[in-house]
Each structure stands twice: as C-alpha cells, then as structure tokens.
Amino acid sequence: MTKTLNLSIELLKQPSITPKDENCQDIIAKRLKDVGFSSEFLYFGDKNDSGRNSEVKNLWARCGNQAPLVCFLGHTDVVPVGDVADWQFDPFTPTIKNGQLYARGASDMKTAIACFTVACENFIHNHPDHIGSIALLLTSDEEGPSINGTAKVIQTLTDRHEKIDYCLVGEPSSSKIVGDVIKNGRRGSLGGVLTVTGKQGHVAYPHLAVNPIHEASLALSELVGQTWDKGNAFFPPTTMQISNINAGTGANNVIPNTLTAEFNFRFSTETTEDELKQKTHAIFDKHFANAKATYQIDWKLSGQPFLTEQGKLVSACQNAIKTVMNIDTKLSTSGGTSDGRFVAPTGAQVVELGVLNATIHQINENVAVDDLEKLTQIYEQILKNLLLKRNC
C-alpha cells in the first residue's frame, strides 16, 4: 500500500462524526512534525452542563516563516452514517473492494487530507530549499454549525497578522476524473425563517380567526416567482428555495395561530445580502399592508459569495492537473458552501480541488484507490509550481 492509502485508512478508522475529531488531527500533527512543521491545537466553544470539554478542536500546522504562505484547508469531521445496517461494510472499517475504498469520509474528505499531507512530506523531502511556507488548517466543525472551526482560526491568524496567500481546499470537486473540475468560487448562502402570526380559531367560524396560511400564501408565491439577478460569466443566477413550511395543530378543524417557513438564497456576486433582504421585505410589506396577520423574518448569513479569478493559484492548479492527468480542468462555482468562504475575505486566493464527489454524504461512500495517488501527485505539483524558484 502507498503512504497515502495507509494514512487514508488510518484516518477513516476514526469515528469523527461532527463535531468530534477523535484522533485525526493528532495523527496528522505527529506526521508533520517529522518534516519540520510546528503544530498548535486551537479550541473554541463552551463546555456542556456536565463539565465535559465539548470545544471544537482545530489544528494549525506551519512549516516556514516566509511569504508566500500556501495553506491546505480541510475538515476531519464527517456526517452521521445513518443506519449501519444499510451499509455494505461498516462505515468506520475501511474496506477495499474492486478498487474502491469504502468508508464514511472516503470522499468527503479524509482521503484529500491524506493526499495533501503526503504531498507536503514528499515536497519538503525533495525540495528542502523551497521558498515561502506551507501550512495545514484542519477543523472538526465543517459539517456542523461551522461556528467554532475555520472562521475562528482565521480570525486568530488575522489578529496576529499571519496571512495566507494561497489556500487549497480539499473538498471533493471532481466530477468524472480527478481534476476535471476545480472550484474557484462559491455562491453566497443566506437563510431566512419566516413567522406569520394570525389568530387561532374554529374552521367553521373563520370570521373569528385569522389564518396565517392564507395570509402568507400570496407573498410566498411572489417570492418563489421572483427573478433576483441574471448571474454573470462566473456565477449562475441567484436562486431561492423554500425548504420547510409548518403550520397547524394536528387537527383538521382548527385554524392555526402561526405559520413558519424556512427558505434559502444561493446568491451570486450580482446581488448583495442587503438587496436580497430589502426585496424580500418589500414583497411581504406589500402583501401584509392591510392584513390582519403579522410577519417576522429572522435572517442568517452562512457565507458571502467569493471568486478567485485567473491568477497564480488557478494557473498552478491547471498546470498541475495537466502535468499529472493530461486533461484541461473546468472552473466552476457550483455547489454548496465550503470553509473557503472564511479565507477568501482575507485577500487569499482560494481554490477547491479534491476527489470525485459522486458519493459524498451517501450510504456506501467510496473513492477509487488509484485516484489517491493521482491527487497526491497533483497537490505536490501545485507546491512545485508555487514554491520553487524556477517557477516564480
């Protein structure tokens, strides 16, 4: 077995369901120490009522003190496995069958962590006189609330004037072949929780009640039909989806008192958070101007849109993929959010590059064993492109 496969299996054995890291970051820190990295663990969050430490564990490991700083960003936490009986193999017993490695986190994203760890080891061993610095930032809070992980580590680094120049996120970006797609940006994510308050009553006496479902329906319909923007060369148009609507007491003869609806915008750089809020409130203000019900919207911004245009990092990735895979990669901003959204506002160039995303968060999550060595070589070539004097 290769070094990358061995390390992948070791990480995949750890049942690190978010926000737990178990032993993953310690495994990485121990390995990196042997090639000159200094590691520190950063903990954020509170203890629970029992006094047990429930803080989120984060690792910041760095080799070198000079610019430019190339940072590999990843998360050791994984989503829950669901019913283990539905899996072909135990999700925390990594199993290889027909060239595929099965385990929870196989594609999202413990194998990428193994790939860039080994790539760093190989690069430093082969090029001890490289310029710049290399860092790894690992969190166990990406699949959860994303409050006490990368966001707070980045704030800590900012406070002590430690700046990342190039950030390579190991999220599974590839579609059919490793490296065929890299993410050079992501849409923003803005969520809203709508609460409409009417007056509960008997369905036979609607004049004595105010039905919040009826009062909200026209406004929600207009919200769904709204065109928010047309997108641009890098981003598709902004979209809005209603994910949950709840109302009613469980009885079919009672007009409910309240309705709640959850909705989410995935927005491009053509629209701002404030513009989305203003347009949404304008719709509801219009429909509730003479209504007997009232409405309230509680907003939560999960991340602003970001874009890394053609530059040193994008070119380094494209050239590395061409060298190793002999394919031309496609730039994309599709998909959900990633922790790259916390790094981009610092001015860093940010790109996501990882294994295939076909089975992420699924039962029997898996990755092709052969792809691990390919991705390791791509990561190492990116370091060569960015940190060897002849390429600068």
Side-chain angles (χ1 to χ4, degrees):
M1 283 195 253
T2 67
K3 291 194 298 181
T4 302
L5 179 57
N6 277 327
L7 179 54
S8 294
I9 290 173
E10 189 174 6
L11 295 174
L12 291 167
K13 288 179 180 179
Q14 314 304 316
S16 55
I17 297 172
T18 190
K20 295 181 180 179
D21 168 72
E22 296 299 341
N23 198 41
C24 296
Q25 295 175 25
D26 296 273
I27 292 170
I28 299 301
K30 183 178 179 181
R31 288 187 66 122
L32 292 176
K33 182 179 180 181
D34 294 337
V35 290
F37 279 77
S38 297
S39 295
E40 60 179 313
F41 295 103
L42 300 168
Y43 298 87
F44 301 103
D46 301 318
K47 294 182 178 180
N48 61 23
D49 293 339
S50 66
R52 183 176 62 83
N53 192 332
S54 61
E55 295 170 314
V56 169
K57 184 177 182 180
N58 305 280
L59 171 65
W60 175 249
R62 178 167 179 165
C63 181
N65 296 304
Q66 303 299 316
L69 174 57
V70 179
C71 175
F72 288 96
L73 173 61
H75 62 89
T76 57
D77 58 321
V78 298
V79 297
V81 300
D83 190 345
V84 176
D86 292 332
W87 286 68
Q88 185 177 3
F89 310 105
D90 182 274
F92 294 113
T93 303
T95 304
I96 299 173
K97 183 177 181 180
N98 297 328
Q100 300 294 123
L101 174 61
Y102 291 82
R104 173 58 87 221
S107 54
D108 189 13
M109 55 166 282
K110 289 184 178 179
T111 55
I113 293 174
C115 289
F116 58 60
T117 299
V118 174
C120 289
E121 293 172 342
N122 293 343
F123 176 77
I124 292 172
H125 176 76
N126 293 326
H127 307 282
D129 59 344
H130 68 85
I131 66 167
S133 307
I134 306 172
L136 268 69
L137 196 171
L138 301 179
T139 183
S140 59
D141 186 39
E142 198 274 347
E143 298 290 8
S146 298
I147 295 173
N148 294 311
T150 302
K152 290 191 176 178
V153 175
I154 292 299
Q155 185 59 57
T156 299
L157 298 178
T158 301
D159 290 344
R160 64 194 196 194
H161 307 292
E162 202 164 353
K163 185 181 185 306
I164 296 170
D165 296 287
Y166 308 114
C167 181
L168 225 164
V169 189
E171 290 288 353
S173 65
S174 303
S175 179
K176 296 180 180 178
I177 302 171
V178 171
D180 61 353
V181 177
I182 62 175
K183 303 291 179 69
N184 65 321
R186 290 280 193 163
R187 294 176 295 173
S189 176
L190 175 65
V193 178
L194 167 72
T195 302
V196 177
T197 304
K199 183 180 179 182
Q200 185 172 309
H202 197 293
V203 295
Y205 302 94
H207 59 289
L208 299 178
V210 178
N211 193 323
I213 301 174
H214 294 186
E215 298 291 334
S217 59
L218 290 178
L220 288 173
S221 179
E222 184 172 344
L223 191 71
V224 170
Q226 184 77 14
T227 298
W228 305 96
D229 60 50
K230 296 182 179 180
N232 55 37
F234 300 101
F235 289 93
T238 294
T239 61
M240 191 285 303
Q241 289 291 307
I242 298 174
S243 55
N244 286 289
I245 295 181
N246 295 288
T249 63
N252 65 3
N253 61 349
V254 178
I255 294 171
N257 187 65
T258 59
L259 171 146
T260 60
E262 296 178 83
F263 57 94
N264 180 268
F265 291 97
R266 294 303 165 105
F267 62 104
S268 73
T269 51
E270 292 294 304
T271 301
T272 68
E273 168 196 0
D274 287 341
E275 287 173 339
L276 292 173
K277 290 180 179 179
Q278 290 169 5
K279 290 179 181 179
T280 300
H281 279 288
I283 291 171
F284 280 91
D285 287 345
K286 178 178 68 175
H287 287 282
F288 279 77
N290 298 311
K292 296 179 180 179
T294 60
Y295 86 91
Q296 175 182 324
I297 300 176
D298 296 312
W299 297 97
K300 180 182 179 182
L301 178 69
S302 296
Q304 295 283 3
F306 68 90
L307 178 70
T308 297
E309 298 190 47
Q310 193 75 41
K312 287 188 176 180
L313 181 57
V314 171
S315 294
C317 293
Q318 290 172 323
N319 293 338
I321 292 166
K322 186 69 173 180
T323 299
V324 176
M325 302 298 296
N326 195 29
I327 61 172
D328 295 320
T329 192
K330 176 184 176 182
L331 299 180
S332 172
T333 60
S334 65
T337 60
S338 79
D339 274 4
R341 69 190 188 273
F342 302 122
V343 184
T346 68
Q349 296 180 37
V350 180
V351 164
E352 299 174 27
L353 168 59
V355 297
L356 274 63
N357 55 26
T359 63
I360 58 174
H361 292 200
Q362 294 183 16
I363 294 169
N364 297 324
E365 180 180 351
N366 65 88
V367 65
V369 171
D370 289 345
D371 286 350
L372 304 185
E373 192 59 31
K374 296 172 184 174
L375 185 58
T376 302
Q377 292 175 21
I378 291 172
Y379 285 150
E380 184 178 355
Q381 185 62 47
I382 292 171
L383 289 172
K384 292 178 183 178
N385 293 344
L386 292 172
L387 298 181
L388 293 187
K389 293 179 181 178
R390 65 176 181 268
N391 295 324
C392 297

